[in-house]
């Protein structure tokens, strides 16, 4: 919708509600279908849910599709979990400004799921499964059938003048996020209200079970992964089932998430919100005393991740290849995030182990899959060596040395027999021919050690403290 509408005031009977809003996906408000939800949107929130450096379009939400349009203006995020399988839709009804009969809000929406992470939404790896960003003259938008004009939902196409998308077909336990975006007030940050009502055959069959209402007990939201340096995360007690009927609130935190509360964070009837700042990972608790004397509690785990930091690259001892140009390495990261890896400008992979890495200088890049950054390319050295050689003067594998030592400063390779006797001393310009003092050494296993000086470029070295190879005749 892109038109301002006039309509009569909406009067709601038999419902105890308060307007809810969380403008950030990571603190999306859990909801279910047992009653309409009075929601509002009044700004973009503390965190940009969409990285505008990489997101110019996500599904039908188009940055710049109309003058001054953006994906995220005045937003409100909700999350629901399917309780039963079936058809789920919803109506978003634009409400007039308090004290007026004029509708000034203009709602758009996107639905993400099932079972996605908010950080994936912001990086563009996930697109909405349903959405609408269309111009129309109706005050309703949503999934299913428009109750005002009977128009059936259809996949969104630009300027089709249909503000409804198709119903969702859900399975029990699936989690979905709903972004509700107020296009019209993207310049003034004034709060605007809407009514969110769930529909569909599963809701009609039983609105108490269609969506899992126990999810509302997690009113602080689902566990959050965030990035170091992100703006503060606001946790609100006002989104609890008690609403504003609060006599007292007490907050605390377990930084290590080990079951021991580390410190209180404040209490009192006015302590309805706290801000969690980077990098204070931990499990945060709230205990609400209601005006009626009841208690409502919840907790949420917030984990901060930083830009990946390479610890080292190890050459794996399990590499049994006879080809010196095929080496297996494992990337070790300083941290416990969710990472993916790429070497030598190749494709990213989830596995930190790479096979068939060539000897010499290689590059590694590590990406945090939570959207917290990508490391700069770093060099590491693979010292490749033949696992065997055959000094029989046939022109193949007649000599032995370590590949890649020419990239090291002042590198020396020492070759020993099984008893530790030094047999040869090699540099980048020499090779061992399998003799000692002019005498051919027998078929056996031999060991080597490399000594070198770290060059001034600070190359990270993939190495073994001890390695062996075979001489065969």
């Amino acid at each position: 919708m892109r038109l301002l509408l006039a309509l009569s005031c909406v009067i709601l009977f038999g419902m105890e509600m308060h307007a809810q809003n969380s403008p950030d996906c990571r603190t999306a408000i859990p909801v279910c279908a047992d009653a309409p939800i009075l929601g509002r949107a009044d700004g973009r929130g503390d965190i940009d849910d969409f990285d505008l450096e990489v997101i110019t379009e996500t599904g039908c939400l188009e940055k710049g599709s109309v003058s001054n349009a953006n994906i995220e203006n005045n937003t409100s995020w909700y999350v629901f979990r399917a309780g039963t399988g079936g058809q789920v839709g919803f109506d978003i009804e634009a409400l007039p400004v308090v004290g007026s009969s004029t509708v000034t809000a203009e709602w758009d929406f996107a639905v993400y799921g099932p079972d996605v992470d908010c950080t994936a939404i912001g990086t563009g790896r996930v697109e909405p499964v349903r959405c609408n960003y269309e111009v129309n003259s109706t005050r309703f938008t949503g999934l299913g059938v428009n109750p005002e004009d009977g128009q059936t939902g259809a996949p969104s196409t630009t300027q089709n003048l249909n503000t409804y998308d198709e119903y969702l077909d859900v399975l029990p336990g699936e989690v979905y996020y709903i972004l509700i975006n107020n296009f019209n007030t993207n310049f003034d940050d004034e709060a605007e209200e809407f009514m969110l009502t769930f529909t569909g055959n599963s809701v009609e069959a039983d609105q108490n079970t269609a969506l899992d209402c126990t999810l509302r007990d997690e009113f602080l939201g689902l566990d959050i992964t965030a990035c170091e340096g992100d703006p503060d995360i606001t946790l609100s007690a006002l989104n609890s089932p008690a609403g504003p009927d609060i006599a007292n609130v007490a907050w605390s935190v377990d930084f290590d998430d080990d079951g021991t509360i580390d410190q209180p964070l404040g209490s009192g009837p006015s302590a309805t919100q706290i801000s969690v700042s980077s990098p204070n990972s931990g499990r945060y608790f709230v205990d609400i005393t209601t005006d009626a004397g009841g208690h409502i509690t919840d907790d949420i785990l917030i984990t901060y991740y930083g830009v990946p930091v390479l610890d080292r690259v190890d050459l794996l001892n399990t590499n049994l290849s006879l080809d010196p140009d095929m080496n297996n390495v494992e990337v070790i990261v300083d941290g416990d995030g969710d990472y993916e890896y790429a070497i030598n400008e190749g494709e990213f992979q989830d596995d930190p182990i790479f096979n068939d890495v060539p000897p010499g200088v290689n590059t590694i890049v590590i990406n945090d899959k939570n959207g917290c950054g990508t490391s700069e390319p770093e060099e590491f050295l693979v010292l490749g060596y033949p696992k065997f050689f055959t000094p029989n003067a046939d022109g193949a594998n007649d000599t032995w040395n370590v590949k890649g030592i020419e990239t090291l400063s002042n590198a020396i390779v020492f070759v020993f027999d099984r008893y530790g006797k030094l047999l040869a001393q090699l540099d980048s310009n020499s090779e061992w021919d399998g003799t000692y003092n002019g005498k051919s050494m027998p078929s056996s296993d031999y060991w080597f050690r490399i000594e070198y000086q770290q060059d001034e470029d600070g190359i990270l070295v993939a190495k073994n403290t001890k390695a062996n190879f075979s001489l065969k005749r």
Side-chain angles (χ1 to χ4, degrees), residues 22-305:
S22 178
D24 295 319
C25 179
R26 282 176 278 196
T27 51
I29 299 170
V31 292
C32 76
D34 60 351
I37 297 153
L38 179 60
R40 63 183 172 88
D42 57 357
R44 291 183 63 180
D46 296 321
I47 296 174
D48 287 335
D49 291 298
F50 300 94
D51 182 351
L52 296 184
E53 301 239 341
V54 298
I55 300 287
T56 57
E57 181 178 318
T58 175
C60 71
L61 299 183
E62 300 174 8
K63 181 175 184 285
S65 62
V66 236
S67 177
N68 300 314
N70 285 288
I71 292 175
E72 182 178 20
N73 296 311
N74 290 32
T75 60
S76 191
W77 284 90
Y78 296 91
V79 58
F80 70 86
R81 182 164 59 212
T84 59
Q87 189 185 71
V88 172
F90 54 77
D91 300 324
I92 302 170
E93 180 182 1
L95 300 181
V97 176
V98 176
S100 169
S101 61
T102 302
V103 170
T104 59
E106 202 281 283
W107 302 108
D108 304 303
F109 71 88
V111 180
Y112 296 87
D115 307 324
V116 300
D117 188 278
C118 283
T119 55
I121 293 172
T123 61
R125 297 199 305 270
V126 174
E127 289 196 351
V129 292
R130 300 287 188 276
C131 62
N132 198 284
Y133 200 72
E134 191 48 73
V135 177
N136 207 310
S137 59
T138 174
R139 71 179 186 271
F140 284 90
T141 187
L143 302 182
V145 179
N146 189 324
E148 187 174 57
D149 59 18
Q151 194 171 49
T152 301
S156 178
T157 57
T158 302
Q159 297 182 353
N160 70 352
L161 303 184
N162 188 349
T163 58
Y164 269 68
D165 205 332
E166 298 175 309
Y167 284 110
L168 286 170
D169 291 316
V170 303
L171 297 174
E174 290 181 338
V175 174
Y176 292 85
Y177 287 87
I178 305 174
L179 162 67
I180 300 176
N181 183 66
N182 183 1
F183 165 80
N184 192 58
T185 60
N186 54 327
F187 300 115
D188 57 26
D189 287 344
E190 292 297 323
E192 303 274 357
E193 294 190 345
F194 57 85
M195 189 66 65
L196 174 64
T197 305
F198 284 94
T199 62
N201 59 28
S202 65
V203 177
E204 293 167 2
D206 190 336
Q207 66 178 13
N208 293 310
T209 61
L211 304 185
D212 183 359
C213 291
T214 64
L215 190 65
R216 287 185 306 195
D217 296 334
E218 302 177 51
F219 55 86
L220 293 181
L222 304 183
D223 289 346
I224 295 173
T225 57
C227 301
E228 292 181 3
D230 274 353
D232 293 353
I233 296 172
T234 300
L235 302 180
S236 176
L238 294 173
N239 294 329
S240 81
D245 300 324
I246 293 176
N248 189 65
V249 181
W251 298 89
S252 58
V253 61
D254 173 3
F255 287 118
D256 298 319
D257 193 25
D258 59 2
T260 301
I261 299 298
D262 292 304
Q263 69 180 66
L265 297 175
S267 61
S270 62
T272 55
Q273 293 184 336
I274 63 168
S275 293
V276 179
S277 59
S278 165
N280 295 308
S281 297
R283 186 171 294 278
Y284 291 80
F285 297 84
V286 63
D287 188 326
I288 301 170
T289 304
T290 66
D291 289 334
H295 277 275
I296 299 175
T297 62
D298 192 18
D299 62 88
I300 183 172
L301 179 64
I302 299 178
T303 306
Y304 285 95
Y305 295 102

